[in-house]
Amino acid sequence: MKFLCDEMLKGLARWLRAAGYDAELATDGEGDRALLERARREGRLLLTRDRKLLEFRDAGRDVLLLECNGLAECAHELVARLGLDWQHRPFTRCLVCNVPVEPAGPEDADRVPADVREGPLYRCPRCGRLYWEGSHVRRMRTRLADWKTR
């Protein structure tokens, strides 16, 4: 399942990426028609809280109008409406670029804190951002597990 989140759902897009989903984010100022065309062209489900997007012809098949107000509420709504698995493939995508991460090379080890160099290290091939299992990831895993069970 591939997603496109409108500007109002930037945080949700990041969490979908954390769960392992391909979740693109609308560019600032991208118009409604352009968003809908992009979702169709890329085979994505457009997630929005903007009712006006449903006014476009045949928008209902490409747009999911969310009624939620906060991040946790949106997470639970996606579980209820789509059967979304928040532990799909956690931490396999760059949270910034949405590109699948790859194992980092030994040359990247000096770019991370010494206490995490022994564990697995991943790198985004697009932006070069490094990822590792730190306390932040453990907290995020806990949140993803909580969203899955509710």
Side-chain angles (χ1 to χ4, degrees), residues 11-134:
L12 183 62
R14 185 171 190 252
W15 280 97
L16 285 164
R17 291 172 182 174
Y21 289 100
D22 183 341
E24 287 293 329
L25 186 58
T27 57
D28 290 339
E30 193 169 359
D32 289 351
R33 182 173 302 283
L35 269 177
L36 187 55
E37 288 172 2
R38 179 177 169 193
R40 288 178 176 158
R41 183 177 61 251
E42 296 176 8
R44 297 179 182 280
L45 179 61
L46 176 56
L47 302 178
T48 187
R49 294 186 59 230
D50 181 1
R51 293 186 183 283
K52 290 178 70 177
L53 273 164
L54 289 177
E55 295 174 6
F56 288 93
R57 184 175 178 195
D58 296 326
R61 66 179 181 181
D62 302 298
V63 175
L64 181 63
L65 179 67
L66 298 176
E67 302 294 332
C68 55
N69 287 316
L71 180 61
E73 195 177 322
C74 287
H76 299 306
E77 186 173 344
L78 288 174
V79 170
R81 294 181 65 189
L82 299 176
L84 192 99
D85 179 2
W86 283 102
Q87 293 181 317
H88 172 60
R89 294 181 56 226
F91 305 103
T92 56
R93 301 188 81 82
C94 178
L95 300 180
V96 177
C97 298
N98 191 40
V99 173
V101 295
E102 301 171 343
E107 67 280 1
D108 293 312
D110 62 342
R111 294 178 47 208
V112 299
D115 61 329
V116 299
R117 291 181 187 158
E118 296 302 316
L121 185 63
Y122 298 93
R123 181 180 176 282
C124 173
R126 181 180 293 162
C127 72
R129 187 179 295 309
L130 295 174
Y131 294 94
W132 62 90
E133 280 281 334

Side-chain angles (χ1 to χ4, degrees), residues 75-76 79 84-87 141-150:
H76 299 306
V79 170
L84 192 99
D85 179 2
W86 283 102
Q87 293 181 317
R141 281 187 190 278
T142 299
R143 182 178 272 188
L144 292 171
D146 181 51
W147 289 344
K148 180 179 177 151
T149 58
R150 286 194 181 179

